[in-house]
Amino acid sequence: MKLLQLTATFGCLQGDTLEFGPGMTLIGAPNGSGKSTWCAFLLAMLYGIDTTERATKSNLPVKTKYKPWSGQAMEGSLELQRQGRSLTLERSSQGRTPMGQLLAYDTATGQPTGLQAETCGQTLLGVERS
């Protein structure tokens, strides 16, 4: 699988886009510029957000920690290549479930891929979220 582009409304990212070029992409930026937010966003795009996670003294749940600063709903898209096909994944909030709705389709044809919100990451990567 090859990542092509991420677009996110997630935490400090407000409709921002990150494009990946050929080869390896490294992101070097100052603290607080969004590097960890992009990583958390990619995880949310592939596996969704665990809405049962609760706050502790040392950890905020993802749904709270990365709530968009603008007040908008969490949402985004991921464009990728897998097995010679270009796919687009779009996640949006569904009711009270942030990033709970998944639309996955072949980028060229618009045909649905059959990927499901709950199992998307495991299907694409072959590994569980943990």
Side-chain angles (χ1 to χ4, degrees), residues 85-89 102-107 111-116:
R85 291 176 60 199
S86 292
L87 306 177
T88 299
L89 309 179
L102 175 72
L103 180 61
Y105 55 90
D106 184 291
T107 306
Q111 294 297 311
T113 63
L115 291 169
Q116 301 297 313

Side-chain angles (χ1 to χ4, degrees), residues 43-62:
L43 186 65
M45 284 302 298
L46 293 169
Y47 293 96
I49 292 178
D50 180 2
T51 58
T52 64
E53 183 182 19
R54 299 292 175 234
T56 65
K57 289 182 181 181
S58 61
N59 186 50
L60 282 175
V62 170

